[in-house]
Amino acid sequence: MQRKIRFKKKNGLLKYIKELEVQISQQQETYKSLVTKLHELESLGKKSDQGHLQEVLKTLESHKFPITKPKFLTRLSKEDSSRNDVVLPVLVFSCNRPDIRRSLDGLLKYRPDPKKFPIFVSQDCAHGTTAEIIRSYGKQVTYIQQPDQSDPIVPPGEAKFKGYFKIARHYLWGLTQVFRTFNHTAVIIVEDDLDIAPDFFSYFSSTYPLLSNDVTLWCVSAWNDNGKASLVDVEQGSPLLYRSDFFPGLGWMITKKLWDELEPKWPKSYWDDWMRRPEQRKERACIRPEISRTRTFGKIGVSNGLFFDKHLKYIKLNERPVDFSKQNMSYLVKANYDADYIRRVYSLPVVSAPDVRTNNVPFDGPVRIVYHTKDGFKSAAKLLGLMDDFKSGVPRTGYRGIISLFHNGRRIYLAPNSNWKGYDLTWS
């Protein structure tokens, strides 16, 4: 009898695969990558493979294929869905900031499940007061300490930037601990000077499947570099998410697979700008929100308050919680997103930055501002209150060179020509 059941399961599974392959072949180019996932199903039968089965099924279901799953697959999905929720640890990097209490209190306040979101605090600097505060949280956090307290070797002329060398070394050690020692499959990275929004955890847990399945993504970030209250849609923007070619940081998630790639070549300093280099990014994007899910209160630090008074303190922290588990994320898949986003942006009427600034546009609705040169971008960005710098040729929040903002109740896109050929490394 067991043999017959196995035979029926196998035949039902193969029939299911074949039906899906026929439908996929009729879809747009978007779905070609899913064929590979279908073949993965053929090898799934052992209990140890059921977690991967759930990931494949979720990917297929997100594209709304009108296929009735065999009963044993439906039952398996229900039985094992609770067992296969990925654990997403939060790694807090700290040094000598007693205000870490503010960050940890926020994380603990909004954390929905300690098992799904364990908190690791990695401390450098061996600062006694900060260490005592971290220890006071007991078993609510896992406290680890960077053992190497020696002075890093700094090139001539960069002695005043020694702190950046220590930070890069600490990141290497801390991330290695989470992925190698504790063997997690992904991590959410924050620093000890961040407040988080109430839906911080919902945001990351719901975008994780997208990150793990879309090879054109390499991170999810909670931060909008241009997220001032005057530049985002405070009323309707809470659920809005974007793809961005700019690595934002400040509350971000990566997978172990990416760390396998980055760890062997991790830099000695300036790790965030290193991440933004094309050799690391490899034309991959990050997901970022319209309204930030983190906000920094760290005016004093290694950067000596750079940008804080002029920009960072004005970043809007989301106050309207979104249950992202109920949001359809398929629009963020590259093929879907590019087709819709590019068509929408380049179909809009063109206006000038000065007219937008003075609200001198004689019609309602979204508009486009065109830039042709680096100076043209900077001029428009300054008029609109955007950050105007580039990293490896990429403007902050840019996607295919396009910046989305909200100003005076209107959606605006600052965009290059429609025949955009890619980022210019000299624009830095």
Side-chain angles (χ1 to χ4, degrees):
M1 180 64 70
Q2 282 186 340
R3 260 182 152 178
K4 287 184 178 180
I5 292 173
R6 287 175 186 167
F7 182 74
K8 286 181 180 179
K9 285 184 178 182
K10 182 178 180 182
N11 280 352
L13 182 56
L14 291 175
K15 183 179 179 181
Y16 175 59
I17 293 167
K18 296 302 180 185
E19 288 177 354
L20 283 172
E21 285 184 335
V22 170
Q23 290 202 20
I24 289 173
S25 67
Q26 297 170 350
Q27 299 296 326
Q28 301 174 356
E29 196 72 19
T30 311
Y31 305 114
K32 283 188 176 180
S33 63
L34 292 176
V35 174
T36 301
K37 288 193 171 293
L38 296 175
H39 289 297
E40 292 175 22
L41 285 169
E42 293 183 6
S43 64
L44 297 176
K46 297 179 180 179
K47 196 168 184 178
S48 60
D49 290 321
Q50 291 176 4
H52 183 51
L53 172 58
Q54 301 305 323
E55 292 181 12
V56 176
L57 291 174
K58 285 178 182 178
T59 302
L60 297 171
E61 288 168 352
S62 71
H63 290 278
K64 299 182 179 179
F65 287 105
I67 290 291
T68 301
K69 292 194 291 291
K71 288 183 179 179
F72 72 91
L73 282 179
T74 304
R75 185 173 65 252
L76 178 64
S77 180
K78 290 178 180 178
E79 289 174 352
D80 291 289
S81 59
S82 61
R83 296 187 222 168
N84 292 292
D85 287 340
V86 66
V87 174
L88 295 176
V90 179
L91 175 59
V92 184
F93 282 103
S94 69
C95 179
N96 57 357
R97 192 189 303 277
D99 276 352
I100 190 175
R101 186 182 297 280
R102 175 171 165 176
S103 292
L104 293 179
D105 286 349
L107 288 167
L108 292 170
K109 177 181 179 181
Y110 294 122
R111 181 174 65 170
D113 183 350
K115 292 183 179 179
K116 183 178 173 91
F117 301 103
I119 297 173
F120 292 83
V121 183
S122 180
Q123 188 194 9
D124 200 356
C125 310
H127 186 254
T129 301
T130 302
E132 288 178 13
I133 290 170
I134 298 168
R135 289 193 185 98
S136 72
Y137 286 85
K139 293 183 179 179
Q140 294 181 95
V141 305
T142 299
Y143 177 35
I144 57 178
Q145 294 172 285
Q146 148 74 311
D148 187 356
Q149 295 299 308
S150 64
D151 280 338
I153 299 174
V154 178
E158 295 191 47
K160 63 180 180 180
F161 301 120
K162 182 171 67 174
Y164 291 103
F165 287 77
K166 287 186 175 182
I167 290 172
R169 183 174 67 185
H170 187 194
Y171 265 72
L172 175 60
W173 184 82
L175 286 166
T176 299
Q177 292 301 302
V178 167
F179 286 125
R180 306 296 178 218
T181 303
F182 295 98
N183 200 33
H184 286 289
T185 57
V187 66
I188 302 167
I189 301 156
V190 299
E191 295 185 2
D192 57 1
D193 61 351
L194 291 182
D195 292 324
I196 66 166
D199 56 0
F200 173 91
F201 290 100
S202 174
Y203 172 66
F204 280 112
S205 61
S206 299
T207 52
Y208 170 77
L210 189 68
L211 177 64
S212 60
N213 286 311
D214 187 345
V215 296
T216 69
L217 293 173
W218 71 322
C219 90
V220 174
S221 173
W223 179 258
N224 176 359
D225 276 288
N226 288 310
K228 296 177 183 177
S230 60
L231 295 175
V232 296
D233 186 351
V234 176
E235 295 300 318
Q236 304 294 329
S238 292
L240 295 179
L241 306 180
Y242 299 82
R243 293 176 69 100
S244 174
D245 295 323
F246 190 89
F247 170 72
L250 290 175
W252 48 291
M253 175 171 63
I254 60 171
T255 63
K256 185 177 183 179
K257 183 177 180 180
L258 180 67
W259 185 243
D260 290 342
E261 175 188 324
L262 299 179
E263 182 187 20
K265 57 179 181 176
W266 191 254
K268 299 294 184 183
S269 65
Y270 319 118
W271 68 266
D272 48 352
D273 284 343
W274 175 84
M275 288 276 288
R276 293 165 182 145
R277 295 288 302 169
E279 310 92 90
Q280 277 64 253
R281 188 169 70 84
K282 297 181 180 178
E283 299 187 352
R284 293 171 292 193
C286 294
I287 299 300
R288 61 95 176 167
E290 166 85 359
I291 305 177
S292 291
R293 265 58 186 188
T294 56
R295 180 177 57 198
T296 178
F297 56 83
K299 179 177 180 179
I300 299 173
V302 174
S303 63
N304 295 318
L306 184 64
F307 291 138
F308 188 88
D309 284 328
K310 290 184 177 180
H311 183 77
L312 296 179
K313 72 179 182 181
Y314 299 107
I315 296 294
K316 173 70 176 176
L317 185 67
N318 186 58
E319 297 173 353
R320 299 187 177 194
V322 175
D323 182 355
F324 282 102
S325 69
K326 297 179 180 179
Q327 300 287 313
N328 184 349
M329 300 286 184
S330 62
Y331 73 96
L332 291 164
V333 174
K334 180 177 173 59
N336 299 342
Y337 190 88
D338 285 7
D340 179 67
Y341 193 64
I342 303 306
R343 175 195 57 76
R344 182 155 34 95
V345 170
Y346 287 100
S347 67
L348 296 174
V350 175
V351 299
S352 71
D355 282 346
V356 168
R357 170 69 183 271
T358 58
N359 205 22
N360 189 31
V361 179
F363 51 84
D364 295 329
V367 295
R368 172 167 51 109
I369 299 169
V370 180
Y371 69 89
H372 304 279
T373 65
K374 176 181 176 181
D375 288 343
F377 175 90
K378 283 182 167 288
S379 176
K382 286 179 179 177
L383 277 174
L384 298 170
L386 300 166
M387 294 192 77
D388 66 347
D389 61 328
F390 298 83
K391 300 291 185 181
S392 295
V394 185
R396 292 179 187 266
T397 75
Y399 186 70
R400 294 179 59 89
I402 302 167
I403 311 296
S404 172
L405 63 141
F406 198 77
H407 186 71
N408 285 335
R410 186 194 302 269
R411 177 63 58 188
I412 300 153
Y413 298 95
L414 179 57
N417 282 339
S418 58
N419 65 347
W420 182 78
K421 301 300 182 184
Y423 295 108
D424 187 339
L425 288 176
T426 66
W427 289 27
S428 295

